[in-house]
DNA sequence: GCTTGTTAGTTACAAAAACAACTATTATTC
DNA sequence: GAATAATAGTTGTTTTTGTAACTAACAAGC
């Protein structure tokens, strides 16, 4: 009954990435959850609108790689909380133009400040070069194959 | 209506890590899901038992940072599929000693081979040094604060 | 311009995850 | 050593996610 095997789970990238992602999300998640009652998809949508301005759900899905049902639900909740407005497009009446309200923008700016602080705090653990390399590698990993969630 | 803001979501670590984790999990997930009908927690439990041999649910929870209810259900499914056996411990009759069956070990070895191949394939995109640094940084990120999921 | 196919977004239902409350057993403390 | 607390694991309920099927609008082909 030899049970010593030599596979290091801690180095297996899908596992390791999930652990790191979960851990690094925690503190930030607590803020948007406790403070704004938001879910992960919701802050993602909020941030996309904050950063890029007016977008359709489709645009967000393409950029964030989120499935349309997730976005649909996030948009509903954000609209309920008066964080975004929705206007049917005249050019194509299937799609809706989404935009932050003043309240939404405030929430976004607030969360963005916290995100920036989090990012800055990483500077104490990693050098600028390390961080840049990490980001570069993660982007390569993230972009690899087209996972069509649209 | 100035909507050009300068926050790069693609560089924000919690977001970026999640994107990378999701992408890198995909191909491997497909294997244990389609081939063995396993969920993520289930393969994690399977691997822990494959690597470390006999363990209790508690041990697994500590190592893998999984909540006990998740483990409890994963253990049930794995036992249903005859991949693991469970024996009440004599030393402490609250806990159960979990172990792979022959079938479980076969599945584990099979999945491990695929995991190793995946890991090896990364060598085409990254140098050994890059990979080592990535793993090191991710481990530091993952280990940061004790997220007690037990 | 009518049929057929696509696309944007929603809704309904099934699967999975999160959270709380529970049982059984062991540890602690007085 | 009885009462209280803590621990291992399970079960039940609620949220959230995933998936498929749907509606409404547009696009293409003929």
């Amino acid at each position: 009954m030899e049970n010593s095997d030599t596979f290091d789970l801690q180095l297996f990238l899908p596992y390791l990435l999930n652990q790191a992602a979960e851990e690094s999300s925690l503190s930030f998640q607590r803020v948007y959850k406790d403070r704004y009652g938001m879910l992960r998809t919701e802050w993602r949508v909020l941030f996309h609108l904050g950063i890029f301005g007016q977008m359709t759900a489709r645009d967000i899905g393409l950029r964030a790689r989120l499935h349309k049902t997730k976005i649909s639900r996030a948009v509903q909740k954000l609209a309920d909380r008066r964080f975004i407005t929705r206007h049917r497009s005249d050019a194509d009446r299937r799609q809706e133009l989404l935009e932050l309200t003043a309240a939404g923008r405030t929430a976004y700016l607030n969360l963005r400040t916290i995100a920036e602080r989090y990012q800055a705090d990483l500077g104490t653990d990693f050098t600028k070069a390390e961080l840049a390399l990490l980001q570069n590698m993660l982007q390569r990993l993230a972009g690899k194959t087209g996972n069509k969630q649209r």
Side-chain angles (χ1 to χ4, degrees), chain A:
Chain A
M1 198 171 275
E2 31 60 80
N3 61 24
S4 76
D5 246 298
T6 49
F7 179 77
D8 195 342
L9 202 49
Q10 301 300 330
L11 296 180
F12 181 48
L13 227 52
Y15 183 78
L16 182 53
L17 279 166
N18 270 297
Q19 297 283 45
E22 206 166 295
E23 178 58 41
S24 89
S25 297
L26 262 187
S27 58
F28 188 56
Q29 174 183 0
R30 203 135 35 216
V31 181
Y32 62 70
K33 197 172 180 183
D34 294 354
R35 206 128 126 199
Y36 295 102
M38 277 189 206
L39 255 31
R40 201 154 52 137
T41 310
E42 290 161 40
W43 85 254
R44 288 189 180 181
V45 168
L46 188 85
F47 265 59
H48 275 80
L49 294 174
I51 293 168
F52 300 108
Q54 192 181 70
M55 294 178 92
T56 67
R58 176 174 181 278
D59 297 335
I60 296 173
L62 288 173
R63 281 214 186 250
R65 295 190 177 195
L66 290 169
H67 193 271
K68 57 185 182 173
T69 60
K70 264 185 166 178
I71 297 177
S72 174
R73 280 158 180 152
V75 164
Q76 265 181 301
K77 284 213 187 118
L78 289 171
D80 287 349
R81 279 168 203 146
R82 310 272 185 259
F83 279 174
I84 66 176
T85 57
R86 359 169 45 171
H87 297 295
R88 217 144 261 297
S89 158
D90 282 331
D92 183 340
R93 302 193 344 87
R94 283 172 304 184
Q95 55 190 14
E96 261 187 344
L97 306 174
L98 307 171
E99 218 162 350
L100 294 186
T101 61
R105 183 147 199 90
T106 301
Y108 159 64
L109 289 173
N110 186 359
L111 287 173
R112 198 184 74 172
T113 301
I114 290 163
E116 279 163 344
R117 186 155 48 235
Y118 173 89
Q119 199 81 334
D121 284 351
L122 289 172
T124 63
D125 295 322
F126 302 103
T127 69
K128 267 210 178 319
E130 278 180 328
L131 201 55
L133 182 57
L134 176 63
Q135 288 167 329
N136 175 276
M137 293 183 79
L138 290 176
Q139 285 185 327
R140 282 194 271 162
L141 283 167
K144 238 167 115 182
T145 78
N147 145 20
K148 45 47 176 132
Q149 288 248 51
R150 82 128 98 170

